[in-house]
Amino acid sequence: GEFYLIEGNKYFSLNEPNMIEFDNYFFYFWGINQKEKLSAGSKRKVKLTIKELYPNQNNFIPLDIEYRIFTTVGEKYEIDVVPFTSVNRTNTGYEFDIDTSWLIPQDYYLQIRMKNGTYYENKNTLSFTVVSNGISNI
């Protein structure tokens, strides 16, 4: 039954030991390919494989990962179709679903970013195209 007193100025630390180094993480997509053409109405499960360059075996830090789907107007403007949304963390890794049933046929971009405290780092961007499935609603 020993107690250790902590000085008042040491309750909080601005030097966070759990901060991660963005450059040590690399992402790979599974379930969708770069410049793939998806039929309108198809659904895809996208899985992320995450590699850490210098893994620290003693300290596992869960990653806060988000994705967004956007399209472009010209070269300057990006329009969010799906704003940044959390990626699901499962027992087998990180994954999310893309449903193209409500997307119009055109080019889209899928972007992944990591969050570390209040800082964000964009990691990967993948392009894909939704093409008409040939079914007419008329």
Side-chain angles (χ1 to χ4, degrees):
E2 295 183 31
F3 294 95
Y4 297 96
L5 299 177
I6 299 174
E7 294 180 34
N9 63 354
K10 294 188 179 178
Y11 282 128
F12 301 102
S13 172
L14 297 177
N15 184 10
E16 297 183 33
N18 287 337
M19 296 296 280
I20 59 173
E21 184 65 39
F22 289 126
D23 293 334
N24 289 346
Y25 291 88
F26 299 92
F27 293 81
Y28 302 96
F29 295 98
W30 301 98
I32 190 169
N33 295 317
Q34 181 70 269
K35 297 187 179 182
E36 185 171 357
K37 294 183 180 188
L38 303 175
S39 294
S42 64
K43 295 180 183 179
R44 291 288 180 93
K45 181 173 289 297
V46 178
K47 295 185 177 192
L48 296 173
T49 298
I50 302 166
K51 301 281 185 175
E52 187 178 2
L53 194 59
Y54 306 106
N56 182 352
Q57 301 297 329
N58 300 327
N59 189 13
F60 174 73
I61 301 171
L63 302 175
D64 191 2
I65 303 170
E66 297 177 334
Y67 76 96
R68 78 172 174 143
I69 297 174
F70 66 95
T71 189
T72 58
V73 176
E75 293 183 13
K76 288 186 176 182
Y77 302 104
E78 296 178 355
I79 299 171
D80 280 350
V81 176
V82 176
F84 277 110
T85 305
S86 294
V87 172
N88 299 322
R89 184 172 175 211
T90 67
N91 60 345
T92 59
Y94 297 88
E95 60 186 45
F96 58 93
D97 295 323
I98 294 179
D99 180 5
T100 64
S101 63
W102 59 278
L103 297 176
I104 60 173
Q106 67 179 10
D107 293 330
Y108 293 95
Y109 300 90
L110 171 65
Q111 184 178 43
I112 299 294
R113 76 177 181 182
M114 290 177 62
K115 182 178 177 185
N116 188 13
T118 58
Y119 300 102
Y120 292 95
E121 173 77 13
N122 294 330
K123 296 305 281 183
N124 286 30
T125 301
L126 176 131
S127 65
F128 65 94
T129 303
V130 173
V131 294
S132 175
N133 61 6
I135 298 173
S136 176
N137 291 334
I138 300 176

